[in-house]
């Protein structure tokens, strides 16, 4: 689960872009390590981790442990070929993989 998550629309691959939001895992806790996946003709992933303070998330869910469910990173997307991508979040728990659709689509130019 995320809120604002990655930016939407057309992103210039040479410019830095801020990605932020929050992610909860299948148990409703802060996801910890996960991968932001850009899924198109080929898929590309960026490893990320929760840990950014999101008191608003903890307040909304009435669960103080979710204050660390936030994430934030900046990337240029330069290794990703131009094209259209759906944004997913992949949580790898060893024998199990979980994914969440971000509800976002980007066009890398």
């Amino acid at each position: 689960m995320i809120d604002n998550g990655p930016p939407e629309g057309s992103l210039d691959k040479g410019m830095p872009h801020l990605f932020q939001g929050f992610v909860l895992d299948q148990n409703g806790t802060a996801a910890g390590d996960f991968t932001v996946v850009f899924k198109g003709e080929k898929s590309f992933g960026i490893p990320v981790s929760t840990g950014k303070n999101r008191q608003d998330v903890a307040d909304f869910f009435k669960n103080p442990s979710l204050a660390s469910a936030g994430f934030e990173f900046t990337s240029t997307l330069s290794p990703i070929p131009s094209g259209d991508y759906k944004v997913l979040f992949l949580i790898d728990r060893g024998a199990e993989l979980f994914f969440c659709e971000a509800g976002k689509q980007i066009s890398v130019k």
Side-chain angles (χ1 to χ4, degrees):
M1 177 185 298
I2 62 154
D3 61 350
N4 52 327
E8 273 191 290
S10 180
L11 302 179
D12 181 338
K13 68 193 307 179
M15 300 293 297
H17 301 284
L18 176 65
F19 296 80
Q20 59 185 353
F22 71 94
V23 179
L24 304 181
D25 67 11
Q26 71 282 5
N27 298 316
T29 61
D33 294 335
F34 68 100
T35 304
V36 175
V37 176
F38 300 94
K39 184 177 186 232
E41 286 187 32
K42 292 185 178 180
S43 294
F44 300 88
I46 298 174
V48 183
S49 184
T50 58
K52 180 170 175 52
N53 185 23
R54 288 294 305 263
Q55 188 60 46
D56 61 321
V57 174
D59 293 345
F60 179 83
F61 288 104
K62 297 177 180 31
N63 182 343
S65 70
L66 296 182
S68 65
F71 71 89
E72 180 176 292
F73 69 97
T74 301
S75 178
T76 65
L77 306 179
S78 56
I80 299 176
S82 297
D84 296 325
Y85 297 88
K86 288 185 178 182
V87 182
L88 310 170
F89 298 95
L90 179 67
I91 302 169
D92 185 347
R93 295 292 185 250
E96 297 179 300
L97 292 175
F98 301 93
F99 78 94
C100 173
E101 293 188 14
K104 306 274 184 166
Q105 186 160 330
I106 62 169
S107 181
V108 177
K109 303 286 182 195

